[in-house]
């Protein structure tokens, strides 16, 4: 498949051999690795900002990147993101950083170059707001938070 090009800058030369790549043809996420030279011990409840050694410049307001936990780390070890989801703006040019939060019950050791999170490139719609006094009626109206019932 012909994929759109995105500029990537290698900040830590050691990452050059292990750049993010789709693991399978159908993968949505690109795994990001820890750019650290020694293991980091993340105690229960602790959060640390981990560098990835790379930067990407999406350079298109109709795109963004989202950083998400890896399912295995989150489910088995309680390792998720301190900001729950990371949002990368299309004009951000700095190093991609991953906030790692140990919400589990045991200290977790992050190894150098370990895959710590995944990045998904997503389409974005930027809008202009048009101020109105009333909305045209809709089926839902202002009902939310379970207003359609439970079952
Ligand atoms: O998990 C993350 C989240 C954000 N960023 C970078 C890219 C993003 O474009 C920038 C700003 O993120 P965000 O807008 O979510 O943070 P903020 O607290 O609103 O900071 P700012 O005032 O810089 O917008 O930080 C990361 O590297 N990792
Ligand atoms: Mg912001």
């Amino acid at each position: 498949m012909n994929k759109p090009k995105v500029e990537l800058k290698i900040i830590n030369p050691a990452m050059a051999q292990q750049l993010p790549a789709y693991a399978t043809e159908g993968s949505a996420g690109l795994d990001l690795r820890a750019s650290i030279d020694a293991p980091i011990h993340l105690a229960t409840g602790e959060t640390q900002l981990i560098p990835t050694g790379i930067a990407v410049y999406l350079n298109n307001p109709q795109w963004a990147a989202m950083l998400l936990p890896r399912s295995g780390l989150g489910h088995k070890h309680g390792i998720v993101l301190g900001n729950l989801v990371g949002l990368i703006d299309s004009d951000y040019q700095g190093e991609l950083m991953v906030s790692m939060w140990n919400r589990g019950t045991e200290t977790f050791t992050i190894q150098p170059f370990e895959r710590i999170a995944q990045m998904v490139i997503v389409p974005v719609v930027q809008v202009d707001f048009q101020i109105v006094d009333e909305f045209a009626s809709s089926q839902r109206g202002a009902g939310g938070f379970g207003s359609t019932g439970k079952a």
Side-chain angles (χ1 to χ4, degrees):
M1 195 179 56
N2 214 7
K3 305 186 189 95
K5 299 282 182 222
V6 167
E7 289 184 11
L8 182 150
K9 202 160 79 177
I10 296 166
I11 292 167
N12 174 2
M15 305 308 293
Q17 307 309 316
Q18 316 188 63
L19 294 177
Y22 295 105
T24 66
E25 216 170 279
S27 293
L30 299 145
D31 286 341
L32 298 178
R33 295 176 183 271
S35 172
I36 52 179
D37 45 27
I40 288 179
H41 305 287
L42 202 60
T44 299
E46 196 186 348
T47 304
Q48 284 203 40
L49 201 55
I50 309 295
T52 62
I54 58 165
V56 294
Y57 179 29
L58 295 172
N59 193 18
N60 182 339
Q62 295 185 313
W63 293 347
M66 296 177 90
L67 307 192
L68 303 170
R70 294 187 66 211
S71 307
L73 287 183
H75 181 69
K76 291 185 204 145
H77 303 286
I79 301 298
V80 294
L81 305 183
N83 46 356
L84 304 187
V85 174
L87 181 61
I88 311 300
D89 298 287
S90 73
D91 53 357
Y92 180 69
Q93 298 181 323
E95 183 168 8
L96 293 174
M97 304 294 290
V98 178
S99 171
M100 294 193 73
W101 171 31
N102 184 355
R103 62 157 181 74
T105 52
E106 284 169 23
T107 294
F108 181 82
T109 301
I110 308 164
Q111 300 293 346
F113 307 116
E114 180 171 359
R115 292 176 294 156
I116 52 174
Q118 54 186 329
M119 175 170 73
V120 181
I121 315 288
V122 293
V124 168
V125 179
Q126 281 190 349
V127 301
D128 283 320
F129 287 116
Q130 179 192 353
I131 308 300
V132 298
D133 291 329
E134 295 292 340
F135 295 127
S137 74
S138 72
Q139 190 177 353
R140 174 177 288 273
F145 299 89
S147 68
T148 64
K150 263 189 161 179

